[in-house]
Amino acid sequence: MSGDDSARGTAFTETMLGCARIDGADGTRRARLDLRVAAQHVLQPFGTTEARLSGRIRIAGWADDPYATGEMEISPLARRRIRYRLAFTVQGRRLTLDGWKSVSLRRPVRSMTVLPYTLYDGEERIGSGTLRFPLTTGLAPFLGSVRFPRREDGSRHLAPRWRGEPGRTEVWYTTVTDPATGRGLWLHHELTAPTDGSPAFVHGWAAVFPAADPDGPQGTVRHTRFGPEPWRGGEDGFRADGIVARPGHLEGAAGDFRWELTERPEDEPLFTFPRWSWRRPLLPAAQILPAARASYDGTVTYGGEKLTLQGAPGASARIYGHGNARRWAWLHADLGNGEVLEIVAAVSTRPGLRRLPPLVFLRLRRGGRTWPRRAERAALGWLGLGRFRAAIGRPDWRVTGRAGLRRIRVEVSLPAERTLRLDYADPDGSPAVCRNSETADAVVRLERWRGRWRTEEEWLLEGTAHTEVGER
């Protein structure tokens, strides 16, 4: 591992409470910020540190966006300020919170805990307010959240893995939720090296999914395919005729679809399967996320419609292996506040393994930590005991499991009107079919043992879960 890969960063969480005043409206409203801060370097008290913000902003009766993102400038001595710039969505509008703590050596506690801010719609001021860090209830959680994680460059995982072997499949795919419209986006790029040794080829598709809005217009899933065409190689990602998926950039044109997106990683890589299985491809397949969370800006046009993304949450993922499973289910769920859940449950096509129940790989990242601590724990348990279980079906599927003092239950639903069915083939030519929805529904319940099982946290995702069920 290079020195750059092993460098340390800084991460912590922060909660601030206060009020907001919306111009043209009477009175003040309660406001709350729950933020996760991630810097690429260890904080420098006598210098300036830039960090990424993600989390949830709530202003009573007006705003509640769990996918807010932005930047933070931490310069307590050099510039005597700690500045926050946070973008969030309210009723389809992309707004900005801009404010800073003015650090004073005469009043260090007050100046480091009070954040006056202004709200903007573009360049126009639309409100203001003040937030305070609650020392009594917030200091202990804040200190407990401080981490100095080893920084890893996830972009290097986008480079092609294939080295000319027959019988391989390699995938680059991206899924996004547009917070302004509720629509979902799926970009799939695939390299297939046939088992019979014939030349490798690439193909893929792009799809836009309607929002889960029972009171709004009911659209349909729109999609287009590209390829197949010969693989011409690529050093940093996927490349085809007019199609690019490389670090920080996604671009393409196929059918009536056109897209150009900028991708900003918001978290460290997440290894859904054991880390060793990506480095040494001994399993039938392995999947990773170069960044557990990312945000997207850009446009997608299709059939005379235009989707404009601004700070849209999502993620890109990678798969490398021998082909598709016999049966599988997948979920990517951005839970807000910097928390994310990734699940792959699959039954292998290999003799002997195909008779086993689905193996479950589940990774929940909260507060900079990933549970279960080891990816093998969910799939194998302890000598086969206590492994997580999956019931794969259509349109609903679920996963349950326990590790340590926590247990989880995940229930996923693919509404028919928001699901796309696609057929494709493995390197040996055998057919497979998947049913995918990027605006699916899910309920995630996490419990902790404290003399009895008590709910620690529960998430309800309505139209923001990314999921797929596949079969032969």
Side-chain angles (χ1 to χ4, degrees):
M1 183 176 291
S2 69
D4 189 54
D5 288 335
S6 62
R8 295 282 181 176
T10 306
F12 58 87
T13 61
E14 180 180 24
T15 294
M16 287 182 284
L17 309 174
C19 63
R21 293 174 293 277
I22 308 303
D23 293 347
D26 295 332
T28 61
R29 303 167 186 260
R30 288 181 292 108
R32 175 176 177 140
L33 277 185
D34 293 286
L35 296 177
R36 173 163 176 76
V37 183
Q40 291 293 304
H41 307 282
V42 175
L43 295 185
Q44 305 171 14
F46 296 97
T48 299
T49 303
E50 303 289 340
R52 295 289 301 169
L53 295 176
S54 61
R56 184 176 186 179
I57 179 171
R58 283 174 276 189
I59 300 176
W62 189 68
D64 187 354
D65 185 357
Y67 306 113
T69 60
E71 301 84 31
M72 185 177 188
E73 177 195 279
I74 306 172
S75 187
L77 298 178
R79 297 181 180 176
R80 299 284 183 91
R81 72 181 187 185
I82 303 174
R83 185 174 185 176
Y84 299 71
R85 283 184 58 85
L86 197 68
F88 62 102
T89 300
V90 177
Q91 299 177 349
R93 294 184 299 162
R94 197 66 172 167
L95 308 180
T96 303
L97 180 153
D98 188 2
W100 57 83
K101 300 172 181 175
S102 298
V103 179
S104 168
L105 298 181
R106 295 180 61 186
R107 296 181 178 179
V109 175
R110 175 178 173 80
S111 64
M112 293 279 284
T113 58
V114 178
L115 173 67
Y117 65 88
T118 305
L119 298 173
Y120 294 95
D121 183 352
E123 299 295 327
E124 179 185 358
R125 171 196 155 122
I126 61 170
S128 62
T130 303
L131 292 161
R132 291 176 172 83
F133 177 80
L135 283 171
T136 303
T137 60
L139 184 58
F142 167 77
L143 294 176
S145 72
V146 176
R147 300 283 183 273
F148 300 98
R150 194 175 299 278
R151 194 178 75 236
E152 183 174 355
D153 181 10
S155 65
R156 64 191 179 93
H157 296 301
L158 290 170
R161 299 294 308 279
W162 185 62
R163 295 295 180 266
E165 313 95 320
R168 297 291 190 275
T169 295
E170 184 162 6
V171 179
W172 297 252
Y173 69 91
T174 300
T175 59
V176 185
T177 297
D178 178 26
T181 65
R183 285 181 285 183
L185 172 66
W186 181 24
L187 301 175
H188 181 102
H189 317 80
E190 184 168 327
L191 160 66
T192 300
T195 306
D196 62 11
S198 55
F201 62 89
V202 295
H203 67 113
W205 48 82
V208 173
F209 295 75
D213 183 3
D215 299 323
Q218 297 299 302
T220 58
V221 182
R222 299 290 303 273
H223 82 285
T224 189
R225 288 182 180 261
F226 60 86
E229 63 180 80
W231 168 249
R232 298 182 177 88
E235 295 182 357
D236 56 354
F238 178 94
R239 294 181 183 274
D241 185 14
I243 313 283
V244 173
R246 57 178 175 79
H249 188 73
L250 297 154
E251 182 179 354
D256 63 352
F257 273 68
R258 302 288 185 275
W259 64 92
E260 185 168 3
L261 304 176
T262 299
E263 179 183 70
R264 293 193 306 275
E266 303 283 355
D267 204 340
E268 294 295 303
L270 181 63
F271 289 82
T272 316
F273 286 57
R275 184 183 292 257
W276 58 260
S277 69
W278 184 253
R279 293 174 175 172
R280 297 182 293 277
L282 302 177
L283 298 180
Q287 185 251 27
I288 70 164
L289 282 72
R293 297 174 298 108
S295 61
Y296 296 83
D297 298 298
T299 58
V300 182
T301 59
Y302 59 99
E305 297 189 52
K306 183 176 183 179
L307 177 64
T308 300
L309 302 175
Q310 292 182 310
S316 288
R318 297 277 281 110
I319 300 172
Y320 185 68
H322 296 265
N324 296 285
R326 185 178 182 87
R327 289 188 299 128
W328 71 91
W330 161 78
L331 172 71
H332 175 80
D334 192 318
L335 306 174
N337 298 332
E339 301 170 342
V340 65
L341 173 67
E342 191 81 9
I343 300 176
V344 174
V347 177
S348 175
T349 58
R350 291 186 176 179
L353 296 179
R354 69 182 63 172
R355 297 181 180 274
L356 297 176
L359 293 179
V360 178
F361 295 92
L362 180 148
R363 312 294 279 153
L364 173 63
R365 182 164 288 178
R366 302 171 67 223
R369 295 182 175 182
T370 304
W371 177 87
R373 189 170 62 87
R374 296 189 63 87
E376 298 92 335
R377 174 63 184 84
L380 303 177
W382 297 102
L383 300 177
L385 299 176
R387 63 181 184 80
F388 287 31
R389 300 183 180 276
I392 300 176
R394 292 187 284 111
D396 305 322
W397 62 276
R398 69 178 183 274
V399 164
T400 58
R402 172 185 174 181
L405 296 178
R406 287 185 172 89
R407 72 179 184 183
I408 194 169
R409 182 179 182 87
V410 183
E411 299 175 339
V412 186
S413 178
L414 291 82
E417 69 278 8
R418 291 181 261 137
T419 299
L420 174 63
R421 182 188 188 277
L422 284 174
D423 299 293
Y424 49 102
D426 282 340
D428 63 2
S430 59
V433 60
C434 75
R435 291 171 174 84
N436 181 289
S437 177
E438 303 305 327
T439 53
D441 305 323
V443 178
V444 181
R445 182 178 296 109
L446 183 68
E447 297 177 313
R448 185 178 177 90
W449 178 260
R450 293 188 177 93
R452 62 183 177 87
W453 289 110
R454 303 172 187 266
T455 299
E456 182 175 9
E457 200 157 359
E458 187 171 13
W459 298 271
L460 175 62
L461 288 80
E462 297 179 296
T464 60
H466 305 169
T467 188
E468 180 175 293
V469 173
E471 60 193 2
R472 299 290 175 174

